[in-house]
Structures are given as C-alpha cells and as structure tokens.
Amino acid sequence: LEPAAEPTGMVLAGSFQGNAIGDYTGVSLNLSARHGDLEGSYPVTLWHDSEAAIAYGREIFGEAKKFGRCRIYRGHERHVASAERGAAFIRLRAERLGPDRGRSESERTAFNYRSRTAADGSGLDAPAQLVQTLFRSTVRSERIGVGSIEMRGTVNDPVDEIPILAVGEAAFVELDTYASCQVAATVAPDEFLPYHYGRVENWLALDTSR
C-alpha cells in the first residue's frame, strides 16, 4: 500500500445486523490509501463487541479487529459514538444534521492484510495477503452535519499518534451493504512481520508472570 493523493481519514461507528454474524456494534479508524491506481481506505484498527464479528472479519477480510465496548447514542440535536477498552479513547459527535438526502447508491474499497503467526512463534507461517474489499451500498437515508473527534491513546491502541489537522463533515447514514473481497497481492513474511505485530495486542505489556 501507498499513501493516497490526499492524506484524509475517517472514523466509522455503526450498529450492524449481519446475515452470518448476528447483531453487533463497532468503530473503525481508517486512513486513505492506494494500491496501484486504485484508491481506498486502510482500517488501521477496528473495535467490535461481538466475538463472531471479530473472528469473521479477521479470518476472511484480514481486518485487524479487537474486542471493545462501542456505544452509539441518538439524540434530538446530537448523535454521539464511542469506543472503549477500559476507558473511552475515541469519541465522535455529529451535530446540526441537515435534511435527509434520500436514497442513493455508493461504493468504497477497503484494503486489509491477512497474516498469521507461525505455530512455533517465530515469524509468520506464510506470506501476508493484501485483501481488497469492495463495499456496495444502497443508502436509504443520509443526513450531513458538523463533526468532532476526540482520540486518546493507550498502550495497546496508540491512536493519538495519528495527527488530526482538521475535521470535515459528519454523516448519519442508514444503508444496506454487500461486501466482496479478493487477494490483490502478497508480501514476504519477513517484510510484513513488524506490521503484523502492530495489528495485535502489545504482548509485553500483558506480562503478568513477574
């Protein structure tokens, strides 16, 4: 992956119903990225409150999902969403939402890496796969407003290392999405190993044996 032409990102919070993994809520932190001539987004990390959603996303899409408590509050003047792992470290607000824009069709591409630690713990057991996922959506309702983002880092989720220079618009959307994915490229195990460890917990920080 390479940086996209414009260094943008988005934080998505959603309440989902899945045809294979049930109901769940989640928050994802995405940065713009490019593979060849195709631009999309790279989910740096995702937090979900369902074991089925985490396993499904990791095994098939290669998503770097972690378990977290995700909340969404719908108010009259403001919608708020947050992701928590012991403490709230991401909080989103959408305010002054405009009129409903109605139905539309949309597409977006996400890039993820599938990788797995070798059974003996020494590196990866195979080349990492760059998975390209196409999300085709039928939007039923969309309202645009003003947004704000708060991010605080922790030892396992250092999201505060990502600078936020400005916040664009916020959107509150109801939609139906169909996802399809394919392997777009592979990366040698030794080359991808440092990034693989960045996708999981900081195991050294979890040492309780001393």
Side-chain angles (χ1 to χ4, degrees):
L1 289 179
E2 299 289 339
E6 188 175 359
T8 60
M10 59 180 173
V11 183
L12 304 178
S15 177
F16 304 93
Q17 292 180 309
N19 63 356
I21 50 179
D23 299 345
Y24 60 99
T25 58
V27 174
S28 65
L29 174 58
N30 308 264
L31 300 181
S32 55
R34 164 177 67 84
H35 179 243
D37 295 330
L38 181 62
E39 289 203 359
S41 63
Y42 172 65
V44 177
T45 190
L46 311 90
W47 305 273
H48 287 76
D49 62 0
S50 158
E51 182 180 352
I54 293 172
Y56 188 91
R58 277 186 170 272
E59 294 297 324
I60 298 178
F61 296 93
E63 294 172 327
K65 288 186 173 181
K66 300 178 179 180
F67 187 84
R69 185 176 183 181
C70 304
R71 298 177 174 180
I72 299 175
Y73 301 97
R74 295 179 60 179
H76 180 65
E77 299 292 336
R78 174 188 298 173
H79 297 340
V80 179
S82 65
E84 305 174 7
R85 301 183 75 201
F89 57 86
I90 286 189
R91 187 175 298 275
L92 309 175
R93 291 182 178 88
E95 302 177 279
R96 302 199 297 274
L97 296 171
D100 189 353
R101 294 187 174 188
R103 297 180 65 88
S104 64
E105 303 291 326
S106 67
E107 290 187 357
R108 69 179 182 91
T109 298
F111 302 107
N112 293 281
Y113 284 100
R114 293 175 64 189
S115 59
R116 188 171 64 179
T117 308
D120 62 2
S122 60
L124 305 183
D125 65 354
Q129 296 178 326
L130 174 61
V131 178
Q132 177 181 308
T133 304
L134 176 63
F135 293 94
R136 296 187 178 93
S137 300
T138 298
V139 177
R140 299 194 303 271
S141 174
E142 181 179 22
R143 300 175 63 197
I144 305 298
V146 177
S148 65
I149 303 173
E150 299 174 21
M151 297 201 302
R152 294 197 298 270
T154 66
V155 65
N156 284 307
D157 300 287
V159 295
D160 56 328
E161 296 180 3
I162 299 174
I164 300 176
L165 303 183
V167 178
E169 64 185 20
F172 182 78
V173 184
E174 296 180 1
L175 51 77
D176 298 311
T177 296
Y178 174 80
S180 59
C181 58
Q182 61 181 2
V183 176
T186 59
V187 184
D190 291 345
E191 183 179 349
F192 189 75
L193 186 60
Y195 303 97
H196 170 78
Y197 287 129
R199 292 158 48 86
V200 298
E201 301 288 57
N202 184 342
W203 295 333
L204 297 178
L206 298 174
D207 181 7
T208 59
S209 62
R210 290 174 292 182

